[in-house]
Coordinates of all heavy atoms in Angstrom, one line a residue:
Chain S
V175 N -46.0 56.2 -44.1 CA -45.8 56.4 -45.5 C -44.4 57.0 -45.8 O -43.7 56.5 -46.6 CB -46.9 57.3 -46.1 CG1 -46.5 57.6 -47.6 CG2 -48.2 56.6 -46.0
D176 N -44.1 58.0 -45.0 CA -42.9 58.8 -45.3 C -41.6 58.3 -44.5 O -40.5 58.7 -44.8 CB -43.1 60.2 -44.9 CG -44.4 60.7 -45.6 OD1 -44.3 61.0 -46.8 OD2 -45.4 60.7 -44.9
G177 N -41.8 57.4 -43.5 CA -40.7 56.8 -42.8 C -40.0 57.8 -41.9 O -38.8 57.6 -41.6
V178 N -40.8 58.8 -41.4 CA -40.2 59.9 -40.6 C -40.7 59.6 -39.1 O -41.9 59.4 -38.9 CB -40.6 61.3 -41.0 CG1 -40.3 62.3 -40.0 CG2 -40.0 61.6 -42.4
Q179 N -39.9 59.6 -38.1 CA -40.3 59.3 -36.8 C -39.6 60.2 -35.8 O -38.4 60.5 -36.0 CB -40.0 57.9 -36.4 CG -40.6 57.5 -35.0 CD -40.4 56.0 -34.8 OE1 -39.6 55.3 -35.3 NE2 -41.3 55.4 -33.9
F180 N -40.3 60.6 -34.8 CA -39.6 61.4 -33.7 C -38.6 60.5 -32.9 O -38.9 59.3 -32.7 CB -40.7 61.9 -32.7 CG -41.4 63.1 -33.2 CD1 -42.7 63.0 -33.8 CD2 -40.9 64.4 -33.1 CE1 -43.4 64.1 -34.3 CE2 -41.6 65.5 -33.6 CZ -42.8 65.3 -34.2
S181 N -37.5 61.1 -32.6 CA -36.6 60.4 -31.7 C -37.2 60.4 -30.3 O -37.9 61.4 -29.9 CB -35.3 61.2 -31.7 OG -34.5 60.8 -30.5
H182 N -36.9 59.4 -29.5 CA -37.4 59.4 -28.1 C -36.3 59.8 -27.1 O -36.5 59.6 -25.9 CB -38.1 58.0 -27.8 CG -39.4 57.9 -28.4 ND1 -40.3 56.9 -28.0 CD2 -40.1 58.6 -29.4 CE1 -41.4 57.0 -28.8 NE2 -41.3 58.0 -29.6
E183 N -35.2 60.2 -27.6 CA -34.1 60.7 -26.8 C -34.5 62.2 -26.5 O -34.4 63.0 -27.5 CB -32.7 60.6 -27.4 CG -32.4 59.3 -28.0 CD -32.2 58.2 -26.9 OE1 -31.8 58.5 -25.8 OE2 -32.6 57.0 -27.2
G184 N -34.8 62.5 -25.3 CA -35.3 63.9 -25.0 C -34.3 65.0 -25.5 O -34.7 66.0 -25.8
S185 N -33.0 64.6 -25.5 CA -32.0 65.7 -25.8 C -31.8 65.8 -27.3 O -31.1 66.7 -27.8 CB -30.7 65.3 -25.2 OG -30.3 64.0 -25.6
S186 N -32.4 64.9 -28.1 CA -32.2 64.9 -29.5 C -32.9 66.1 -30.2 O -34.0 66.4 -29.8 CB -32.7 63.6 -30.1 OG -32.8 63.7 -31.5
P187 N -32.3 66.7 -31.2 CA -32.9 67.7 -32.0 C -34.1 67.2 -32.8 O -34.9 68.0 -33.3 CB -31.8 68.2 -33.0 CG -30.8 67.2 -33.0 CD -30.9 66.4 -31.7
T188 N -34.3 65.9 -32.9 CA -35.5 65.4 -33.6 C -36.5 64.8 -32.7 O -37.3 64.0 -33.1 CB -35.0 64.3 -34.7 OG1 -34.3 63.3 -34.1 CG2 -34.2 65.0 -35.8
S189 N -36.4 65.1 -31.4 CA -37.4 64.7 -30.4 C -38.6 65.6 -30.5 O -38.4 66.7 -31.1 CB -36.8 64.7 -29.0 OG -36.5 66.0 -28.6
F190 N -39.7 65.3 -29.9 CA -40.8 66.2 -29.9 C -40.5 67.3 -28.9 O -40.1 67.0 -27.8 CB -42.1 65.4 -29.5 CG -43.3 66.3 -29.6 CD1 -43.9 66.5 -30.8 CD2 -43.9 66.9 -28.5 CE1 -45.0 67.4 -31.0 CE2 -45.0 67.8 -28.6 CZ -45.6 68.0 -29.8
P191 N -40.8 68.5 -29.2 CA -40.4 69.7 -28.4 C -41.3 69.9 -27.2 O -42.0 70.9 -27.1 CB -40.4 70.8 -29.3 CG -41.5 70.5 -30.3 CD -41.4 69.0 -30.5
F192 N -41.3 68.9 -26.3 CA -42.2 69.1 -25.1 C -42.0 70.4 -24.3 O -42.9 71.0 -23.8 CB -42.0 67.9 -24.1 CG -42.5 66.6 -24.7 CD1 -41.7 65.6 -25.3 CD2 -43.9 66.3 -24.5 CE1 -42.2 64.4 -25.7 CE2 -44.4 65.1 -25.0 CZ -43.5 64.1 -25.6
H193 N -40.7 70.8 -24.3 CA -40.3 72.0 -23.6 C -40.9 73.3 -24.2 O -40.9 74.3 -23.5 CB -38.8 72.1 -23.4 CG -38.1 72.2 -24.8 ND1 -38.0 71.1 -25.7 CD2 -37.4 73.2 -25.4 CE1 -37.3 71.5 -26.8 NE2 -37.0 72.8 -26.6
L194 N -41.3 73.2 -25.4 CA -41.9 74.4 -26.0 C -43.4 74.5 -25.9 O -44.0 75.5 -26.4 CB -41.5 74.4 -27.5 CG -40.0 74.5 -27.8 CD1 -39.8 74.4 -29.3 CD2 -39.4 75.7 -27.3
L195 N -44.0 73.5 -25.4 CA -45.5 73.5 -25.3 C -46.0 74.6 -24.3 O -45.3 75.0 -23.4 CB -46.0 72.1 -24.8 CG -45.7 71.0 -25.8 CD1 -46.0 69.6 -25.2 CD2 -46.6 71.2 -27.1
P196 N -47.2 75.1 -24.5 CA -47.7 76.1 -23.6 C -47.7 75.6 -22.2 O -47.9 74.5 -21.9 CB -49.2 76.3 -24.1 CG -49.5 75.2 -25.1 CD -48.2 74.7 -25.6
K197 N -47.5 76.6 -21.3 CA -47.5 76.3 -19.9 C -48.8 76.6 -19.2 O -49.7 77.3 -19.8 CB -46.4 77.2 -19.2 CG -45.0 77.2 -19.9 CD -44.3 75.9 -19.7 CE -42.9 76.0 -20.4 NZ -42.4 74.7 -20.9
N198 N -49.0 76.2 -18.0 CA -50.1 76.6 -17.2 C -51.5 76.1 -17.7 O -52.5 76.7 -17.3 CB -50.2 78.1 -17.0 CG -48.8 78.6 -16.4 OD1 -48.3 78.0 -15.5 ND2 -48.4 79.7 -16.9
I199 N -51.5 75.1 -18.6 CA -52.8 74.5 -18.9 C -52.5 73.0 -18.9 O -51.4 72.5 -19.0 CB -53.3 74.9 -20.4 CG1 -52.2 74.6 -21.4 CG2 -53.6 76.4 -20.4 CD1 -52.7 74.6 -22.9
L200 N -53.7 72.3 -18.7 CA -53.6 70.8 -18.9 C -53.4 70.6 -20.4 O -54.3 70.9 -21.1 CB -54.9 70.2 -18.4 CG -54.9 69.6 -17.0 CD1 -56.3 69.1 -16.6 CD2 -53.9 68.5 -16.8
L201 N -52.3 70.1 -20.8 CA -52.0 70.0 -22.2 C -53.0 69.1 -23.0 O -53.2 68.0 -22.6 CB -50.6 69.4 -22.4 CG -49.4 70.4 -22.1 CD1 -48.1 69.6 -22.2 CD2 -49.4 71.5 -23.1
P202 N -53.5 69.7 -24.1 CA -54.4 68.9 -24.9 C -53.6 68.2 -26.0 O -53.9 68.3 -27.2 CB -55.4 70.0 -25.5 CG -54.5 71.2 -25.6 CD -53.5 71.1 -24.5
L203 N -52.6 67.5 -25.6 CA -51.6 66.9 -26.5 C -52.2 65.6 -27.1 O -52.5 64.7 -26.3 CB -50.3 66.7 -25.8 CG -49.1 66.3 -26.6 CD1 -48.8 67.3 -27.7 CD2 -47.9 66.1 -25.7
V204 N -52.3 65.5 -28.4 CA -52.8 64.3 -29.0 C -51.7 63.6 -29.9 O -51.0 64.3 -30.7 CB -53.9 64.6 -30.0 CG1 -54.4 63.4 -30.7 CG2 -55.1 65.2 -29.2
A205 N -51.5 62.4 -29.7 CA -50.4 61.7 -30.5 C -51.0 60.5 -31.2 O -51.7 59.6 -30.6 CB -49.3 61.2 -29.5
D206 N -50.8 60.4 -32.5 CA -51.1 59.3 -33.3 C -49.9 58.3 -33.2 O -48.9 58.6 -33.7 CB -51.4 59.7 -34.7 CG -51.7 58.5 -35.7 OD1 -51.6 57.4 -35.2 OD2 -52.0 58.8 -36.8
Y207 N -50.2 57.2 -32.5 CA -49.1 56.2 -32.4 C -49.4 54.9 -33.2 O -48.9 53.8 -32.9 CB -48.9 55.8 -30.9 CG -47.8 56.5 -30.2 CD1 -47.9 57.8 -29.8 CD2 -46.5 55.9 -30.1 CE1 -46.8 58.5 -29.2 CE2 -45.4 56.5 -29.5 CZ -45.6 57.8 -29.0 OH -44.5 58.5 -28.5
S208 N -50.3 55.1 -34.2 CA -50.8 53.9 -34.9 C -49.7 52.9 -35.3 O -49.8 51.7 -35.2 CB -51.5 54.3 -36.2 OG -52.8 54.8 -35.8
S209 N -48.6 53.4 -35.9 CA -47.6 52.5 -36.5 C -46.4 52.3 -35.6 O -45.4 51.7 -36.0 CB -47.2 52.9 -37.9 OG -46.8 54.3 -37.9
S210 N -46.4 52.9 -34.4 CA -45.3 52.6 -33.5 C -45.7 52.2 -32.1 O -44.9 52.1 -31.2 CB -44.4 53.9 -33.4 OG -45.2 55.0 -33.0
F211 N -47.0 52.0 -31.9 CA -47.5 51.7 -30.6 C -46.9 50.4 -30.0 O -46.9 49.4 -30.6 CB -49.0 51.5 -30.7 CG -49.8 51.5 -29.4 CD1 -49.8 52.6 -28.5 CD2 -50.4 50.3 -28.9 CE1 -50.5 52.6 -27.3 CE2 -51.1 50.3 -27.7 CZ -51.1 51.4 -26.9
M212 N -46.3 50.6 -28.8 CA -45.7 49.5 -28.1 C -44.5 48.9 -28.8 O -44.2 47.7 -28.6 CB -46.8 48.4 -27.7 CG -47.8 49.0 -26.7 SD -49.0 47.9 -26.0 CE -47.9 47.1 -24.7
S213 N -43.9 49.7 -29.6 CA -42.6 49.2 -30.2 C -41.5 49.6 -29.3 O -40.4 49.2 -29.4 CB -42.4 49.8 -31.6 OG -42.4 51.2 -31.5
R214 N -41.8 50.6 -28.4 CA -40.9 51.1 -27.4 C -41.7 51.9 -26.5 O -42.8 52.2 -26.7 CB -39.7 51.9 -28.0 CG -40.1 53.1 -28.9 CD -39.0 53.8 -29.6 NE -39.4 54.8 -30.5 CZ -38.5 55.6 -31.2 NH1 -37.3 55.4 -31.1 NH2 -39.0 56.5 -32.0
P215 N -41.1 52.4 -25.3 CA -41.9 53.1 -24.4 C -42.4 54.5 -25.0 O -41.8 55.0 -25.9 CB -41.0 53.4 -23.2 CG -39.9 52.4 -23.3 CD -39.8 52.1 -24.8
I216 N -43.5 55.0 -24.5 CA -44.0 56.3 -24.9 C -43.5 57.4 -23.9 O -43.8 57.3 -22.7 CB -45.5 56.3 -25.0 CG1 -46.0 55.3 -26.0 CG2 -46.0 57.7 -25.3 CD1 -47.5 55.2 -26.2
P217 N -42.7 58.4 -24.4 CA -42.3 59.4 -23.5 C -43.4 60.3 -23.0 O -44.2 60.7 -23.8 CB -41.2 60.2 -24.2 CG -41.4 59.8 -25.7 CD -42.3 58.6 -25.8
R218 N -43.4 60.6 -21.7 CA -44.3 61.6 -21.1 C -45.8 61.3 -21.4 O -46.5 62.2 -21.8 CB -43.9 63.0 -21.6 CG -42.4 63.3 -21.2 CD -41.9 64.6 -21.5 NE -42.7 65.7 -20.9 CZ -42.2 67.0 -20.8 NH1 -41.0 67.2 -21.0 NH2 -43.0 67.9 -20.3
I219 N -46.2 60.1 -21.2 CA -47.6 59.7 -21.4 C -48.5 60.7 -20.6 O -49.5 61.1 -21.1 CB -47.8 58.3 -20.9 CG1 -47.2 57.3 -21.9 CG2 -49.4 58.0 -20.9 CD1 -47.5 55.9 -21.6
A220 N -48.1 61.0 -19.4 CA -49.0 61.8 -18.5 C -49.3 63.1 -19.1 O -50.4 63.7 -18.8 CB -48.3 62.0 -17.1
D221 N -48.5 63.7 -19.9 CA -48.8 65.0 -20.5 C -49.7 64.9 -21.7 O -50.1 65.9 -22.3 CB -47.5 65.6 -21.0 CG -46.7 66.3 -19.9 OD1 -47.3 66.6 -18.9 OD2 -45.4 66.4 -20.0
H222 N -50.1 63.7 -22.1 CA -50.9 63.5 -23.3 C -52.4 63.5 -22.9 O -52.8 63.0 -21.9 CB -50.6 62.2 -24.0 CG -49.3 62.3 -24.8 ND1 -48.1 62.1 -24.2 CD2 -49.0 62.5 -26.1 CE1 -47.1 62.2 -25.1 NE2 -47.7 62.4 -26.3
A223 N -53.2 64.2 -23.7 CA -54.6 64.1 -23.6 C -55.2 62.8 -24.2 O -56.0 62.1 -23.6 CB -55.3 65.3 -24.3
V224 N -54.7 62.5 -25.4 CA -55.1 61.3 -26.1 C -53.9 60.7 -26.9 O -53.2 61.4 -27.6 CB -56.2 61.6 -27.1 CG1 -56.7 60.3 -27.8 CG2 -57.4 62.4 -26.5
I225 N -53.7 59.4 -26.7 CA -52.8 58.7 -27.5 C -53.7 57.6 -28.2 O -54.4 56.9 -27.5 CB -51.7 58.0 -26.7 CG1 -50.8 59.1 -26.1 CG2 -50.9 57.1 -27.5 CD1 -49.9 58.6 -25.0
Y226 N -53.6 57.5 -29.5 CA -54.4 56.4 -30.1 C -53.5 55.6 -31.1 O -52.5 56.1 -31.6 CB -55.6 57.0 -30.7 CG -55.4 57.8 -32.0 CD1 -55.1 57.2 -33.2 CD2 -55.4 59.2 -31.9 CE1 -54.9 57.9 -34.3 CE2 -55.2 59.9 -33.1 CZ -55.0 59.3 -34.3 OH -54.8 60.0 -35.4
A227 N -54.0 54.4 -31.4 CA -53.3 53.5 -32.3 C -54.3 52.5 -32.9 O -55.1 51.9 -32.2 CB -52.2 52.8 -31.6
G228 N -54.3 52.4 -34.2 CA -54.9 51.2 -34.9 C -54.0 50.0 -34.5 O -52.8 50.2 -34.4
A229 N -54.7 48.9 -34.3 CA -53.9 47.7 -33.8 C -53.1 47.1 -34.9 O -52.1 46.4 -34.6 CB -54.9 46.7 -33.3
Q230 N -53.4 47.4 -36.2 CA -52.9 46.5 -37.3 C -51.4 46.7 -37.7 O -51.1 46.3 -38.8 CB -53.8 46.7 -38.5 CG -53.7 48.0 -39.2 CD -54.7 49.0 -38.7 OE1 -55.2 48.9 -37.6 NE2 -54.9 50.1 -39.4
K231 N -50.6 47.2 -36.8 CA -49.2 47.2 -37.1 C -48.5 46.3 -36.1 O -48.0 45.3 -36.5 CB -48.6 48.7 -37.0 CG -49.5 49.7 -37.6 CD -49.5 49.6 -39.1 CE -50.3 50.8 -39.7 NZ -50.4 50.8 -41.2
N232 N -48.4 46.7 -34.8 CA -47.7 46.0 -33.9 C -48.5 45.0 -33.0 O -48.0 44.2 -32.3 CB -46.9 46.9 -32.9 CG -45.7 47.6 -33.6 OD1 -44.9 46.9 -34.2 ND2 -45.7 48.9 -33.6
I233 N -49.8 45.2 -33.0 CA -50.6 44.7 -31.9 C -51.6 43.5 -32.4 O -51.9 42.6 -31.6 CB -51.5 45.8 -31.2 CG1 -50.6 46.9 -30.7 CG2 -52.3 45.2 -30.1 CD1 -49.5 46.5 -29.7
G234 N -52.1 43.6 -33.6 CA -53.1 42.6 -33.9 C -53.7 42.9 -35.3 O -53.1 43.7 -36.0
P235 N -54.8 42.3 -35.6 CA -55.5 42.5 -36.9 C -56.2 43.9 -36.9 O -56.5 44.5 -35.9 CB -56.5 41.4 -37.0 CG -56.3 40.5 -35.8 CD -55.5 41.3 -34.8
A236 N -56.4 44.4 -38.1 CA -57.2 45.6 -38.3 C -58.6 45.4 -37.7 O -59.1 44.3 -37.7 CB -57.3 45.9 -39.8
G237 N -59.1 46.5 -37.2 CA -60.5 46.4 -36.7 C -60.6 46.8 -35.2 O -61.6 47.0 -34.7

Side-chain angles (χ1 to χ4, degrees):
Chain S
V175 171
D176 310 279
V178 170
Q179 185 172 30
F180 283 97
S181 163
H182 285 194
E183 311 294 328
S185 57
S186 162
T188 57
S189 65
F190 187 79
F192 289 99
H193 60 290
L194 299 176
L195 292 170
K197 314 286 181 209
N198 306 318
I199 56 169
L200 263 176
L201 282 172
L203 188 60
V204 175
D206 175 356
Y207 261 81
S208 286
S209 51
S210 56
F211 192 65
M212 297 189 77
S213 62
R214 54 184 177 180
I216 297 178
R218 301 183 55 159
I219 290 189
D221 281 334
H222 287 78
V224 183
I225 293 166
Y226 69 78
Q230 68 270 17
K231 315 291 184 180
N232 286 309
I233 305 301

